[in-house]
Amino acid sequence: MTDDKSTPEPEAADLEEARQARALAEAMEGSGADAPPDQELLVAAQISAVREPGQLSDAARDRIGDELFGVSGARARVRLPRWPIAAAAGLVLAGGLAAIVAVELPRLGDGRERVAFHRQAELLVAELMPRPTAAERAQAIADAAAARLREGAP
Amino acid sequence: MKRATLPILLLLLGILAAGSTPDAGPTLQEPTDRELFEYATRIAEAHRRADAKSVSEPGVAAQELGELLEWPWPSSADAYALRADLHARRAQLLLAAGRWEDAELAVGAGIAESEQQNISSSALTAQLWLRFGEVKEARGDDLGAVQAYQAAIRTAKDVLIQRREGRKGP
């Protein structure tokens, strides 16, 4: 109740505006315009219509809700349409996926390339080496030099 | 005396400068088969010791091979081939010891030396590029690894072409 002391009570103009909003909503429902908004959304829209002029307190808006629409606690739910939330969630998800694809795929690609090139290089080098170990290669050079020495070459 | 000393000193300096070969390193001027035999035998023994330690103490084995690189070596294609093998083996051992930076320095020194000695199209240089790729891979540089492997493949293919044409590389 302390809240009510600092906020103005609904005035005639507010109530009139709310009534007009209600009439508009009813007209929309009656006109068969595209799928009519549900009651809760209508209440939310109309409550927000009366909110602007006087910044009503919660209690005042409750009274308007009760009086005009017979809906108690109408202030509690000003529901957002679902599609922007779904769209935002979709965007976040798509952005996340795009980031993962952008960062990880090239790395995966590099990994596959790397393994393939490594294997090819390894096979070629092995093919070029007459002896498999460094010790054997060094020994072969020593043996060749020793053979030349035995033959008397400088 | 002072006037006579200065020209002599300059002459000596000139002779020394003309005789020096900065690219060749501490090489012997006239390598003989005996020198090559001794050098290659020493290196073969060191490789065998490294083989024994390559799993348990790869860092120690790399250190011993590194000491061999400090020795003077006979200036011949065979000696450079031995050195290229030493650099590659040392890099492999350092990699096994988890000393990636040292491994990269070792293999980089080997590649630089092979280019300096005009033996960049050799099987041993291809091996050095292969090791370089493995070092890059260990350091998480996938792109660098791929480039090094490509260099190894290119070099190896050059050697194969040379051999087919009858030219013999180290």
Side-chain angles (χ1 to χ4, degrees):
Chain A
M1 293 305 286
T2 50
D3 190 22
D4 287 346
K5 285 178 187 171
S6 59
T7 52
E9 288 300 309
E11 292 176 5
D14 294 332
L15 291 172
E16 181 54 34
E17 199 169 346
R19 281 190 194 95
Q20 284 172 7
R22 184 190 178 198
L24 179 67
E26 283 171 347
M28 279 172 67
E29 274 184 309
S31 69
D34 300 340
D38 65 34
Q39 184 65 14
E40 192 177 327
L41 278 176
L42 280 173
V43 171
Q46 289 156 21
I47 290 296
S48 68
V50 296
R51 194 182 223 166
E52 287 301 321
Q55 287 296 309
L56 304 179
S57 69
D58 288 345
R61 276 182 282 135
D62 268 355
R63 275 175 54 197
I64 293 170
D66 288 343
E67 183 183 334
L68 293 178
F69 310 110
V71 179
S72 63
R75 74 175 189 279
R77 293 185 296 277
V78 176
R79 209 168 61 187
L80 283 170
R82 288 194 180 107
W83 70 264
I85 296 172
L91 276 176
V92 169
L93 190 65
L97 280 173
I100 288 168
V101 167
V103 172
E104 289 301 325
L105 264 191
R107 286 178 61 85
L108 287 173
D110 281 349
R112 280 196 300 272
E113 261 191 340
R114 176 173 45 72
V115 170
F117 281 126
H118 180 241
R119 186 75 190 127
Q120 196 183 348
E122 214 172 32
L123 287 171
L124 277 168
V125 168
E127 192 179 320
L128 290 175
M129 295 289 186
R131 288 167 188 82
T133 71
E136 285 171 335
R137 290 191 286 274
Q139 191 59 56
I141 290 173
D143 291 346
R148 287 196 297 271
L149 276 174
R150 277 195 300 272
E151 289 165 8
Chain B
M1 280 298 284
K2 278 182 182 175
R3 279 184 189 170
T5 314
L6 188 63
I8 292 168
L9 273 173
L10 286 172
L11 183 66
L12 282 172
L13 280 172
I15 291 166
L16 283 172
S20 69
T21 50
D23 286 349
T27 58
L28 299 173
Q29 292 298 309
E30 300 259 338
T32 63
D33 279 322
R34 177 160 300 284
E35 286 159 355
L36 183 62
F37 167 75
E38 285 169 4
Y39 187 64
T41 303
R42 218 180 287 170
I43 288 178
E45 285 166 1
H47 278 304
R48 278 192 282 272
R49 281 196 302 274
D51 287 342
K53 291 178 184 170
S54 62
V55 176
S56 57
E57 297 173 297
V60 175
Q63 171 70 27
E64 287 179 10
L65 293 184
E67 285 166 11
L68 274 178
L69 286 165
E70 301 299 319
W71 295 355
W73 70 92
S75 179
S76 72
D78 280 337
Y80 292 130
L82 287 166
R83 286 181 63 82
D85 228 356
L86 272 178
H87 284 297
R89 188 76 200 288
R90 193 163 164 263
Q92 198 177 23
L93 289 164
L94 289 167
L95 199 59
R99 289 164 58 187
W100 300 336
E101 274 183 34
D102 291 337
E104 192 166 345
L105 287 173
V107 76
I111 289 169
E113 200 171 291
S114 72
E115 283 171 358
Q116 209 173 44
Q117 303 299 336
N118 276 334
I119 53 165
S120 49
S121 285
S122 74
L124 292 160
T125 309
Q127 180 185 235
L128 281 165
W129 280 116
L130 172 64
R131 297 286 167 259
F132 196 52
E134 288 166 352
V135 172
K136 288 283 182 189
E137 195 175 324
R139 301 193 74 176
D141 180 359
D142 279 355
L143 187 62
V146 167
Q147 286 169 344
Y149 293 144
Q150 283 174 329
I153 292 164
R154 219 170 24 244
T155 308
K157 283 180 177 170
D158 285 349
V159 177
L160 284 172
I161 291 166
Q162 281 173 12
R163 286 187 184 177
R164 200 178 303 152
E165 290 171 355
R167 279 181 281 157
K168 205 177 172 186

